[in-house]
PDB file of all heavy atoms in Angstrom:
ATOM      1  N   GLY A  31     -13.586 205.438  80.121  1.00  0.00           N
ATOM      2  CA  GLY A  31     -12.701 204.261  79.962  1.00  0.00           C
ATOM      3  C   GLY A  31     -11.353 204.752  79.895  1.00  0.00           C
ATOM      4  O   GLY A  31     -11.115 205.720  79.287  1.00  0.00           O
ATOM      5  N   GLN A  32     -10.562 204.126  80.643  1.00  0.00           N
ATOM      6  CA  GLN A  32      -9.205 204.660  80.657  1.00  0.00           C
ATOM      7  C   GLN A  32      -8.662 204.820  79.242  1.00  0.00           C
ATOM      8  O   GLN A  32      -8.765 203.971  78.389  1.00  0.00           O
ATOM      9  CB  GLN A  32      -8.260 203.707  81.398  1.00  0.00           C
ATOM     10  CG  GLN A  32      -6.897 204.327  81.596  1.00  0.00           C
ATOM     11  CD  GLN A  32      -5.943 203.366  82.242  1.00  0.00           C
ATOM     12  OE1 GLN A  32      -6.239 202.198  82.324  1.00  0.00           O
ATOM     13  NE2 GLN A  32      -4.823 203.846  82.686  1.00  0.00           N
ATOM     14  N   ASP A  33      -8.064 205.972  78.957  1.00  0.00           N
ATOM     15  CA  ASP A  33      -7.471 206.172  77.645  1.00  0.00           C
ATOM     16  C   ASP A  33      -5.954 206.083  77.737  1.00  0.00           C
ATOM     17  O   ASP A  33      -5.398 205.750  78.770  1.00  0.00           O
ATOM     18  CB  ASP A  33      -7.900 207.541  77.082  1.00  0.00           C
ATOM     19  CG  ASP A  33      -7.691 208.654  78.086  1.00  0.00           C
ATOM     20  OD1 ASP A  33      -6.599 208.705  78.679  1.00  0.00           O
ATOM     21  OD2 ASP A  33      -8.628 209.446  78.291  1.00  0.00           O
ATOM     22  N   GLU A  34      -5.302 206.410  76.654  1.00  0.00           N
ATOM     23  CA  GLU A  34      -3.848 206.245  76.592  1.00  0.00           C
ATOM     24  C   GLU A  34      -3.115 207.559  76.802  1.00  0.00           C
ATOM     25  O   GLU A  34      -1.996 207.735  76.357  1.00  0.00           O
ATOM     26  CB  GLU A  34      -3.457 205.645  75.228  1.00  0.00           C
ATOM     27  CG  GLU A  34      -4.043 204.257  75.001  1.00  0.00           C
ATOM     28  CD  GLU A  34      -3.590 203.285  76.072  1.00  0.00           C
ATOM     29  OE1 GLU A  34      -2.400 203.321  76.452  1.00  0.00           O
ATOM     30  OE2 GLU A  34      -4.415 202.488  76.520  1.00  0.00           O
ATOM     31  N   ALA A  35      -3.725 208.500  77.448  1.00  0.00           N
ATOM     32  CA  ALA A  35      -3.069 209.784  77.681  1.00  0.00           C
ATOM     33  C   ALA A  35      -1.846 209.593  78.557  1.00  0.00           C
ATOM     34  O   ALA A  35      -1.788 208.718  79.404  1.00  0.00           O
ATOM     35  CB  ALA A  35      -4.037 210.752  78.367  1.00  0.00           C
ATOM     36  N   THR A  36      -0.873 210.443  78.373  1.00  0.00           N
ATOM     37  CA  THR A  36       0.305 210.384  79.227  1.00  0.00           C
ATOM     38  C   THR A  36      -0.010 211.022  80.563  1.00  0.00           C
ATOM     39  O   THR A  36      -0.857 211.908  80.675  1.00  0.00           O
ATOM     40  CB  THR A  36       1.483 211.132  78.581  1.00  0.00           C
ATOM     41  OG1 THR A  36       1.069 212.474  78.297  1.00  0.00           O
ATOM     42  CG2 THR A  36       1.893 210.449  77.283  1.00  0.00           C
ATOM     43  N   GLU A  37       0.648 210.573  81.590  1.00  0.00           N
ATOM     44  CA  GLU A  37       0.383 211.076  82.932  1.00  0.00           C
ATOM     45  C   GLU A  37       0.811 212.529  83.033  1.00  0.00           C
ATOM     46  O   GLU A  37       1.875 212.920  82.562  1.00  0.00           O
ATOM     47  CB  GLU A  37       1.145 210.245  83.956  1.00  0.00           C
ATOM     48  CG  GLU A  37       0.808 210.600  85.378  1.00  0.00           C
ATOM     49  CD  GLU A  37       1.375 209.597  86.345  1.00  0.00           C
ATOM     50  OE1 GLU A  37       2.073 208.689  85.906  1.00  0.00           O
ATOM     51  OE2 GLU A  37       1.106 209.752  87.552  1.00  0.00           O
ATOM     52  N   ARG A  38      -0.040 213.339  83.637  1.00  0.00           N
ATOM     53  CA  ARG A  38       0.314 214.739  83.808  1.00  0.00           C
ATOM     54  C   ARG A  38       1.457 214.863  84.795  1.00  0.00           C
ATOM     55  O   ARG A  38       1.512 214.161  85.788  1.00  0.00           O
ATOM     56  CB  ARG A  38      -0.904 215.526  84.327  1.00  0.00           C
ATOM     57  CG  ARG A  38      -2.050 215.586  83.340  1.00  0.00           C
ATOM     58  CD  ARG A  38      -3.204 216.375  83.930  1.00  0.00           C
ATOM     59  NE  ARG A  38      -4.303 216.467  82.990  1.00  0.00           N
ATOM     60  CZ  ARG A  38      -5.259 215.564  82.888  1.00  0.00           C
ATOM     61  NH1 ARG A  38      -5.240 214.516  83.663  1.00  0.00           N
ATOM     62  NH2 ARG A  38      -6.228 215.710  82.007  1.00  0.00           N
ATOM     63  N   PRO A  39       2.377 215.804  84.563  1.00  0.00           N
ATOM     64  CA  PRO A  39       3.493 215.956  85.488  1.00  0.00           C
ATOM     65  C   PRO A  39       3.014 216.479  86.823  1.00  0.00           C
ATOM     66  O   PRO A  39       1.961 217.112  86.916  1.00  0.00           O
ATOM     67  CB  PRO A  39       4.387 216.994  84.787  1.00  0.00           C
ATOM     68  CG  PRO A  39       3.458 217.752  83.894  1.00  0.00           C
ATOM     69  CD  PRO A  39       2.418 216.765  83.451  1.00  0.00           C
ATOM     70  N   PRO A  40       3.766 216.209  87.906  1.00  0.00           N
ATOM     71  CA  PRO A  40       3.396 216.739  89.211  1.00  0.00           C
ATOM     72  C   PRO A  40       3.294 218.252  89.188  1.00  0.00           C
ATOM     73  O   PRO A  40       4.030 218.941  88.487  1.00  0.00           O
ATOM     74  CB  PRO A  40       4.549 216.270  90.113  1.00  0.00           C
ATOM     75  CG  PRO A  40       5.152 215.119  89.401  1.00  0.00           C
ATOM     76  CD  PRO A  40       4.989 215.411  87.948  1.00  0.00           C
ATOM     77  N   THR A  41       2.354 218.759  89.952  1.00  0.00           N
ATOM     78  CA  THR A  41       2.158 220.201  90.081  1.00  0.00           C
ATOM     79  C   THR A  41       2.520 220.610  91.496  1.00  0.00           C
ATOM     80  O   THR A  41       2.107 219.975  92.451  1.00  0.00           O
ATOM     81  CB  THR A  41       0.680 220.560  89.806  1.00  0.00           C
ATOM     82  OG1 THR A  41       0.353 220.140  88.485  1.00  0.00           O
ATOM     83  CG2 THR A  41       0.450 222.058  89.938  1.00  0.00           C
ATOM     84  N   SER A  42       3.289 221.680  91.618  1.00  0.00           N
ATOM     85  CA  SER A  42       3.640 222.154  92.946  1.00  0.00           C
ATOM     86  C   SER A  42       2.756 223.325  93.309  1.00  0.00           C
ATOM     87  O   SER A  42       2.692 224.311  92.590  1.00  0.00           O
ATOM     88  CB  SER A  42       5.107 222.586  92.978  1.00  0.00           C
ATOM     89  OG  SER A  42       5.445 223.057  94.264  1.00  0.00           O
ATOM     90  N   ASN A  43       2.010 223.194  94.398  1.00  0.00           N
ATOM     91  CA  ASN A  43       1.167 224.267  94.906  1.00  0.00           C
ATOM     92  C   ASN A  43       1.538 224.534  96.347  1.00  0.00           C
ATOM     93  O   ASN A  43       1.951 223.631  97.065  1.00  0.00           O
ATOM     94  CB  ASN A  43      -0.312 223.887  94.829  1.00  0.00           C
ATOM     95  CG  ASN A  43      -0.937 224.265  93.508  1.00  0.00           C
ATOM     96  OD1 ASN A  43      -0.537 225.255  92.911  1.00  0.00           O
ATOM     97  ND2 ASN A  43      -1.894 223.474  93.049  1.00  0.00           N
ATOM     98  N   LYS A  44       1.373 225.752  96.785  1.00  0.00           N
ATOM     99  CA  LYS A  44       1.673 226.096  98.163  1.00  0.00           C
ATOM    100  C   LYS A  44       0.430 226.635  98.834  1.00  0.00           C
ATOM    101  O   LYS A  44      -0.350 227.374  98.252  1.00  0.00           O
ATOM    102  CB  LYS A  44       2.798 227.137  98.232  1.00  0.00           C
ATOM    103  CG  LYS A  44       4.125 226.647  97.668  1.00  0.00           C
ATOM    104  CD  LYS A  44       5.229 227.647  97.909  1.00  0.00           C
ATOM    105  CE  LYS A  44       5.627 227.696  99.357  1.00  0.00           C
ATOM    106  NZ  LYS A  44       6.780 228.569  99.622  1.00  0.00           N
ATOM    107  N   ILE A  45       0.244 226.249 100.064  1.00  0.00           N
ATOM    108  CA  ILE A  45      -0.821 226.818 100.872  1.00  0.00           C
ATOM    109  C   ILE A  45      -0.256 226.993 102.264  1.00  0.00           C
ATOM    110  O   ILE A  45       0.285 226.054 102.847  1.00  0.00           O
ATOM    111  CB  ILE A  45      -2.077 225.944 100.882  1.00  0.00           C
ATOM    112  CG1 ILE A  45      -3.149 226.585 101.753  1.00  0.00           C
ATOM    113  CG2 ILE A  45      -1.814 224.526 101.295  1.00  0.00           C
ATOM    114  CD1 ILE A  45      -4.511 225.968 101.587  1.00  0.00           C
ATOM    115  N   GLY A  46      -0.323 228.198 102.784  1.00  0.00           N
ATOM    116  CA  GLY A  46       0.324 228.483 104.065  1.00  0.00           C
ATOM    117  C   GLY A  46       1.811 228.243 103.913  1.00  0.00           C
ATOM    118  O   GLY A  46       2.447 228.720 102.989  1.00  0.00           O
ATOM    119  N   SER A  47       2.377 227.487 104.815  1.00  0.00           N
ATOM    120  CA  SER A  47       3.805 227.228 104.771  1.00  0.00           C
ATOM    121  C   SER A  47       4.121 225.879 104.143  1.00  0.00           C
ATOM    122  O   SER A  47       5.271 225.465 104.101  1.00  0.00           O
ATOM    123  CB  SER A  47       4.375 227.251 106.201  1.00  0.00           C
ATOM    124  OG  SER A  47       3.748 226.265 106.982  1.00  0.00           O
ATOM    125  N   GLN A  48       3.077 225.175 103.643  1.00  0.00           N
ATOM    126  CA  GLN A  48       3.292 223.831 103.127  1.00  0.00           C
ATOM    127  C   GLN A  48       3.253 223.825 101.609  1.00  0.00           C
ATOM    128  O   GLN A  48       2.434 224.496 100.993  1.00  0.00           O
ATOM    129  CB  GLN A  48       2.224 222.870 103.665  1.00  0.00           C
ATOM    130  CG  GLN A  48       2.273 222.722 105.181  1.00  0.00           C
ATOM    131  CD  GLN A  48       1.229 221.744 105.674  1.00  0.00           C
ATOM    132  OE1 GLN A  48       0.371 221.323 104.917  1.00  0.00           O
ATOM    133  NE2 GLN A  48       1.321 221.384 106.934  1.00  0.00           N
TER     134      GLN A  48
END
Side-chain angles (χ1 to χ4, degrees):
Q32 188 184 12
D33 50 47
E34 298 301 319
T36 56
E37 186 169 4
R38 295 180 179 88
T41 300
S42 179
N43 271 328
K44 297 187 72 175
I45 179 167
S47 60
Q48 297 181 350

